[in-house]
Amino acid sequence: MEPRLTERDRPWVMRTYAGHSSAAATNALFRRNLAKGQTGLSVAFDLPTQTGYDPDDELAAGEVGRVGVPVAHAGDMRALFDGIDLARANTSMTINATAMWLLALYATVAQEHGARLESLAGTTQNDVVKEYLSRGTYIFPPGPSLRLTTDVIAWTVQNCPQWNPVNICSYHLQEAGATPVQEVGFALATAVAVLDRVRDSGQVPQSKMGDVVQRISFFVNAGVRFVEEMAKMRAFGRLWDEITRDRYGVADPRHRRLRYGVQVNSLGLTEAQPENNVQRIVLEMLGVTLSRDARARAVQLPAWNEALGLPRPWDQQWSLRLQQVLAFESDLLEYPDLFEGSVVVEGLVSEIVAGARKELDQVLEMGGAVAAVESGYLKSALVASLAKRRRRMEAGDDVVVGVNRFTETEPSPLTSAGADAIEQIDPNVERAAAEAVREWRASRDPGSVAEALAALKAAAGTDENLMPHTLRCVQVGVTTGEWAGALREVFGEYRAPTGLASAAVAADSGLSHVRERLRDTANQLGRPALRLLVGKPGLDGHSNGAEQIAVRARDAGFEVVYQGIRLTPAQIVAAAVQEDVDIVGLSVLSGAHLRAVPAVLNGLREAGLMDVPVVVGGIIPERDALLLREGGVARVFTPKDFALTDIMDELVTVVRQAHSLS
């Protein structure tokens, strides 16, 4: 084999994950990033858009424009892509439960630009299975959710042949605790569930399954153990080739090639010594670019300060420049695969292949990914794996530089500006968005809207493909909340298993002292045990932290009340009253803490629970933490508070202080 390629490889598509405040503000950010050499767009949508609510909905309060851009109707989509040539763009949209709706909006606006559907290139994430396990932005039960995914796939194969209609996500599985073996095995189980559904739907003939398979893409995570991550991707590709050949009869090896994009591990970034995140990001990028035979097709990197809050344009530029230096200054793209023939790499790949195949077979024996979601098996496995990972970090077996070792540090010039080190969201954004969507509704023909929604609901009760009806809804001005609301009426809503019940109890984890304090406190209060309510207010579905707190609290001896994600403040207060709890812990990672937490505090006071202390955890700037404490919050925990056993000890202290116990 020649040591160099005859022609240098083309670089991967370079993206930054972006979106906030409003469609107009995000459009300006897109244009700046494209001018700096970014070669693809990656759209972050806010939580109301992801979960099917309009900006003026009660459940959207505090969440509009925070973790992404609000898109409530075709007018917002026009503003989002104003002046951007969608016939030439490569756009990734991180959207799942409402993926069909957002694709219909995008396709409509692209055609208004003069683009042909056949020319559209990009991706709708559209993997709802992982939403039940990690991110929590699902709406409907698994069956109807897979039906929507299937309809999108069938429609794009016929109408948008260059579009990736689904992006099977192992990324969020790793965040939720998956080992490399679980990540590959569980993601492939999801892919099999999707492809089986498409094959059995009758919408795509067997002769077209190769066209389906070649448009299935994956979205993966790359952690800092970059050698293992590189081997993981080689194993992923080997198993995907085998499954698509043997299970679906895809003969063309070009159709069977694993196509994936990557975002490196955002939840692995640290609030402590955040400058260390830059080298973490670079190492993680190497894991998915070094191996030519398993190289990512698209890469988006987080910014160094994402553990602190929303990155600024300059922070995103830094991450883009990391990619550009590797692609254009280094000689990486000049060589064939660097690891072909490596005994070490082949051994590691074979080990992951064997383990992942075993995990996949086990899920398939249970009836597939949907059955494994509904039974709670997948969620329980991830919660248990993440608990083990947390215990290794707390014990110091897994070193995190600046967090559990080498914590001595000089003051950082990157963060010396305090709150100015992150992007700030104008509090008027939500009010403006709510007013705008009301004006939009008032400008429409109500008869056409009612007719389109009625047709959508009627079709939802059949096996008819819903994409044409969704496109009609876009054309007459239906909103995101109205589209999702119509389908809620037909499909219903779903609450996924939390995975806590079957998570293994830790033998000790240094908890003996906490258990003794907890028992003494309960005895002094005349209680059989202290009761902790873990609450997730608002639309934030990132539940990994809340679940780990709940697991450790249970192991420490608390009676834990955890009802899952997406609760209103009123529901949390009602649970506190009904369950007679001693302390309430709220988890908010979306930035909505200044709206959600005071609402819970006020509700507890109105319910007469003034003596029940409230603690809060999340990505919370120090300035906001001060405001929360001044408002009555007993403690604020942020990512730097990584030692869960210490947090349990502090919770006991909070209860004791609330009751004036010495």
Side-chain angles (χ1 to χ4, degrees):
M1 184 174 66
E2 292 294 327
R4 283 183 173 82
L5 298 172
T6 56
E7 184 177 344
R8 182 182 173 92
D9 275 346
R10 285 190 306 169
W12 50 90
V13 176
M14 299 182 189
R15 296 186 170 117
T16 50
Y17 185 49
H20 64 79
S21 301
S22 68
T26 301
N27 174 261
L29 180 59
F30 284 170
R31 292 195 193 202
R32 287 201 301 273
N33 287 346
L34 290 170
K36 294 170 184 174
Q38 183 173 302
T39 53
L41 296 173
S42 181
V43 187
F45 295 98
D46 72 354
L47 288 172
T49 304
Q50 292 185 52
T51 52
Y53 296 103
D54 289 335
D56 62 342
D57 194 286
E58 176 190 3
L59 283 169
E63 306 281 12
V64 177
R66 289 206 167 272
V67 300
V69 59
V71 176
H73 47 70
D76 287 340
M77 189 63 89
R78 292 182 189 114
L80 183 61
F81 291 104
D82 181 44
I84 297 173
D85 186 355
L86 297 187
R88 300 178 59 192
N90 189 307
T91 305
S92 171
M93 294 191 284
T94 302
I95 198 76
N96 296 284
T98 54
M100 177 183 285
W101 174 245
L102 270 297
L103 177 58
L105 289 169
Y106 185 88
T108 299
V109 171
Q111 288 179 303
E112 292 174 355
H113 285 194
R116 295 180 302 110
L117 292 179
E118 295 85 350
S119 70
L120 299 185
T123 301
T124 32
Q125 193 167 97
N126 206 15
D127 173 9
V128 184
V129 172
K130 64 91 174 46
E131 296 299 325
Y132 304 116
L133 304 175
S134 177
R135 286 183 73 245
T137 65
Y138 56 84
I139 302 174
F140 315 113
S145 295
L146 268 182
R147 183 261 182 93
L148 291 174
T149 299
T150 301
D151 285 357
V152 169
I153 292 171
W155 184 84
T156 54
V157 166
Q158 185 68 32
N159 297 279
C160 290
Q162 296 188 66
W163 191 266
N164 301 326
V166 61
N167 208 268
I168 306 296
C169 293
S170 70
Y171 176 91
H172 308 92
L173 302 181
Q174 185 180 122
E175 283 191 342
T179 64
V181 162
Q182 289 175 321
E183 184 181 343
V184 175
F186 293 171
L188 288 174
T190 297
V192 166
V194 169
L195 287 175
D196 280 1
R197 186 69 178 257
V198 172
R199 180 195 61 194
D200 299 341
S201 72
Q203 296 193 63
V204 179
Q206 176 59 39
S207 61
K208 286 280 190 180
M209 283 303 292
D211 294 335
V212 172
V213 166
Q214 74 168 339
R215 301 319 307 176
I216 302 293
S217 61
F218 289 80
F219 184 60
V220 308
N221 204 334
V224 75
R225 292 172 58 84
F226 71 99
V227 177
E228 187 174 54
E229 295 295 307
M230 181 270 298
K232 176 188 77 180
M233 295 318 305
R234 295 173 81 95
F236 221 139
R238 189 175 299 179
L239 283 168
W240 179 243
D241 182 77
E242 174 188 305
I243 290 168
T244 54
R245 182 193 65 221
D246 298 345
R247 191 178 183 95
Y248 303 106
V250 178
D252 189 338
R254 293 172 299 178
H255 290 173
R256 301 197 307 262
R257 183 177 179 185
L258 180 77
R259 302 164 63 257
Y260 76 95
V262 64
Q263 166 142 336
V264 305
N265 188 17
S266 294
L267 286 190
L269 305 182
T270 63
E271 179 185 14
Q273 298 181 26
E275 60 275 9
N276 294 337
N277 293 330
V278 177
Q279 49 265 38
R280 291 187 180 106
I281 291 167
V282 171
L283 288 171
E284 290 163 353
M285 176 173 55
L286 290 177
V288 292
T289 55
L290 279 178
S291 173
R292 185 173 186 257
D293 288 351
R295 183 170 292 152
R297 296 287 189 92
V299 176
Q300 59 190 45
L301 302 181
W304 67 276
N305 56 348
E306 285 196 20
L308 308 178
L310 188 66
R312 302 157 300 184
W314 182 86
D315 307 314
Q316 291 194 328
Q317 174 184 300
W318 193 357
S319 290
L320 175 61
R321 296 294 186 246
L322 295 179
Q323 294 200 59
Q324 290 169 329
V325 168
L326 178 63
F328 298 111
E329 291 191 29
S330 85
D331 58 348
L332 174 66
L333 299 180
E334 298 174 9
Y335 303 104
D337 192 85
L338 303 178
F339 303 102
E340 185 178 340
S342 166
V343 175
V344 172
V345 170
E346 179 55 34
L348 184 53
V349 170
S350 297
E351 181 181 299
I352 295 173
V353 164
R357 186 181 283 119
K358 183 178 179 181
E359 291 284 1
L360 172 60
D361 290 344
Q362 184 169 347
V363 172
L364 294 180
E365 286 173 9
M366 297 175 65
V370 169
V373 166
E374 293 173 335
S375 71
Y377 168 75
L378 289 178
K379 185 66 174 178
S380 296
L382 295 174
V383 170
S385 288
L386 187 55
K388 291 177 183 176
R389 185 194 300 172
R390 295 285 315 197
R391 287 195 287 268
R392 289 196 305 271
M393 189 179 78
E394 291 181 63
D397 297 332
D398 288 356
V399 175
V400 183
V401 173
V403 175
N404 63 359
R405 196 183 297 183
F406 312 117
T407 55
E408 301 78 8
T409 183
E410 300 295 331
S412 170
L414 291 175
T415 56
S416 60
D420 293 333
I422 57 174
E423 186 82 15
Q424 298 297 320
I425 300 298
D426 185 340
N428 292 318
V429 162
E430 186 168 310
R431 177 186 53 78
E435 290 176 359
V437 77
R438 286 192 285 267
E439 290 175 4
W440 175 269
R441 292 195 201 103
S443 70
R444 309 171 306 185
D445 173 17
S448 297
V449 170
E451 182 182 339
L453 289 171
L456 175 70
K457 287 192 286 187
T462 71
D463 293 332
E464 188 178 350
N465 191 301
L466 296 182
M467 192 68 184
H469 294 284
T470 298
L471 287 164
R472 177 60 183 160
C473 287
V474 170
Q475 292 158 6
V476 300
V478 167
T479 67
T480 299
E482 290 169 337
W483 178 86
L487 294 182
R488 280 183 170 96
E489 291 182 32
V490 181
F491 297 151
E493 292 194 78
Y494 186 71
R495 296 200 67 79
T498 64
L500 300 188
S502 53
V505 176
D508 183 72
S509 297
L511 284 170
S512 55
H513 169 69
V514 180
R515 288 170 178 150
E516 184 177 348
R517 289 192 72 213
L518 200 149
R519 282 193 298 268
D520 288 347
T521 303
N523 288 336
Q524 287 179 269
L525 295 176
R527 309 269 285 170
L530 297 186
R531 296 173 69 80
L532 164 67
L533 171 63
V534 177
K536 289 285 296 177
L539 299 178
D540 167 34
H542 282 90
S543 59
N544 302 333
E547 288 153 4
Q548 292 305 307
I549 288 289
V551 169
R552 188 63 59 87
R554 181 201 61 188
D555 293 352
F558 281 100
E559 288 186 5
V560 177
V561 179
Y562 176 59
Q563 298 174 330
I565 61 172
R566 268 191 272 164
L567 301 173
T568 65
Q571 288 172 320
I572 292 172
V573 171
V577 173
Q578 182 176 349
E579 300 290 347
D580 188 25
V581 300
D582 298 284
I583 182 170
V584 174
L586 303 178
S587 170
V588 187
L589 278 79
S590 66
H593 43 268
L594 293 182
R595 284 286 295 274
V597 175
V600 173
L601 286 170
N602 292 336
L604 290 172
R605 290 167 184 149
E606 291 171 3
L609 300 183
M610 284 79 71
D611 60 339
V612 175
V614 174
V615 301
V616 180
I619 300 175
I620 301 173
E622 181 52 40
R623 183 179 65 179
D624 290 358
L626 178 61
L627 292 173
L628 291 174
R629 288 191 290 267
E630 289 175 349
V633 170
R635 297 289 189 279
V636 176
F637 301 101
T638 67
K640 69 177 181 295
D641 302 301
F642 72 94
L644 297 186
T645 297
D646 291 347
I647 292 175
M648 295 305 109
D649 197 36
E650 194 64 19
L651 295 184
V652 178
T653 298
V654 167
V655 174
R656 295 184 67 82
Q657 290 175 344
H659 292 277
S660 302
L661 299 179
S662 60

